[in-house]
Amino acid sequence: MSFRYLNPKENTKFKDRHTIKVEDRKQWYEKGKKADVGIIGLPFSKTSISYSTASEAPSTIRNALGSYTTYSGEKDEDYSNVTMLDYGDVPIHPTDTEETLKRLQVSVMEMLETEACEKSIILGGDHGISFPSISAFQQKYGRVGVIQWDAHHDLRNLEDGGRTNGTPFRSLLEAGVIKGENLVQVGIRDFSNAKAYAEYAKEHGVHVHTMQDVEEKGIRSIVSEEIARLKESVDMIYLSVDMDAVDQAFAPGCPAIGPGGLTAGELLTSVALAAKEPLVKAMDIVEVDPGKDVRDMTSRLAAHVMLRFMYT
């Protein structure tokens, strides 16, 4: 029997013949394939200090790519030639946190070993995924510099609860994966951190830029200066974007929302600026909680961050 309208093999989604969506340029990884950007999902949020469904974020951010086209009107340039390989999501162990962290690190390392892409995007998950992810890049490249957009230092002690989404950068520093002077924190927010962790950052030489610094110096100036400094002492630069760095008005779907953060424009502009540097090889996006989001606002912003990283 033939149908007049139904076609079980086709997607019935509306398609404009002149419009290419970002998701159209994404393929699933297969051996031998090459692309400009690799994507991997680390859907882990069981170590979040507050309740979070950030484990669902990789799928919602991927879905949000369907909201954007490959054409930049501001640059009058079509990026439809930029391709993506999606490595899928790492399966999480249901109860064993250390086993999960091992799986995350091994999986990111395996992605890098395929040498199929020049840049990598890691979709969390809570910020705890940055510890295994950055550890994998350190194994691959050597000296790693990190620019972290965040309201929080994420330098909490490990005695009160072990590894959580508040400890990744302390874990990296104490494991010797990164050096304090090679860690840059941008957007640290007032009344959001303990004095002990501000002092820990200072003692270890972490370059901390608060929201007051952003307001006084401008985020472009801060990022430009830090990129210029880092490139003299590291082998690669990794961007870590905690979406709670953004003001709650622009990113309501985060476990730790708050006022006084970055605007969406400041985040997008600064990520795009950093991504122009050839030493910037990877970026993670973390702390998107779809269960707390409003009309996928935060996932859509995260997807837009991906575009600013890819289309440079």
Side-chain angles (χ1 to χ4, degrees), residues 177-198:
V177 175
I178 61 174
K179 293 182 178 180
E181 61 264 32
N182 293 335
L183 173 59
V184 177
Q185 299 183 329
V186 180
I188 299 300
R189 196 176 301 160
D190 213 10
F191 304 112
S192 299
N193 296 276
K195 180 178 175 62
Y197 303 131

Side-chain angles (χ1 to χ4, degrees), residues 65-301:
L65 292 175
S67 300
Y68 301 111
T69 72
T70 59
Y71 173 66
S72 167
E74 294 180 355
K75 299 178 182 178
D76 191 21
E77 186 166 353
D78 196 331
Y79 291 95
S80 57
N81 61 321
V82 177
T83 54
M84 296 174 279
L85 280 184
D86 196 331
Y87 289 76
D89 292 347
V90 180
I92 302 305
H93 192 284
T95 58
D96 191 333
T97 296
E98 289 303 316
E99 169 62 20
T100 290
L101 293 175
K102 174 185 172 184
R103 291 184 186 185
L104 300 183
Q105 183 170 342
V106 167
S107 297
V108 173
M109 194 66 211
E110 288 176 342
M111 176 187 71
L112 294 175
E113 288 172 350
T114 67
E115 296 186 341
C117 307
E118 296 195 8
K119 285 185 171 184
S120 304
I121 297 175
I122 298 91
L123 299 177
D126 68 33
H127 218 156
I129 66 97
S130 293
F131 173 53
S133 180
I134 294 172
S135 296
F137 278 90
Q138 188 270 334
Q139 283 183 260
K140 172 73 173 177
Y141 288 97
R143 298 169 300 171
V144 178
V146 178
I147 300 180
Q148 170 196 354
W149 285 259
D150 208 326
H152 312 96
H153 292 295
D154 286 355
L155 296 170
R156 289 176 183 266
N157 74 83
L158 277 74
E159 288 74 32
D160 295 333
R163 296 197 198 282
T164 68
N165 62 338
T167 66
F169 294 99
R170 190 178 191 122
S171 297
L172 289 163
L173 289 169
E174 296 189 353
V177 175
I178 61 174
K179 293 182 178 180
E181 61 264 32
N182 293 335
L183 173 59
V184 177
Q185 299 183 329
V186 180
I188 299 300
R189 196 176 301 160
D190 213 10
F191 304 112
S192 299
N193 296 276
K195 180 178 175 62
Y197 303 131
E199 292 175 344
Y200 181 95
K202 187 174 182 179
E203 290 166 5
H204 287 77
V206 178
H207 285 234
V208 176
H209 301 276
T210 66
M211 277 306 304
Q212 183 174 341
D213 295 326
V214 170
E215 291 163 6
E216 292 178 353
K217 293 186 64 177
I219 198 163
R220 291 180 62 88
S221 174
I222 289 171
V223 171
S224 294
E225 290 175 8
E226 291 292 5
I227 287 284
R229 183 183 64 83
L230 285 174
K231 64 191 290 187
E232 298 300 319
S233 58
V234 301
D235 301 308
M236 72 150 293
I237 298 173
Y238 182 109
L239 312 181
S240 185
V241 180
D242 186 326
M243 293 298 291
D244 71 22
V246 183
D247 191 282
Q248 62 189 7
F250 303 95
C254 297
I257 60 171
L262 299 172
T263 66
E266 286 173 327
L267 176 64
L268 295 172
T269 296
S270 54
V271 168
L273 179 62
K276 291 179 180 178
E277 167 56 45
L279 281 184
V280 173
K281 302 291 186 184
M283 175 181 69
D284 69 37
I285 302 176
V286 298
E287 299 295 345
V288 174
D289 185 344
K292 293 183 172 69
D293 212 357
V294 178
R295 296 194 65 191
D296 294 328
M297 285 173 61
T298 314
S299 291
R300 287 177 180 240
L301 177 56

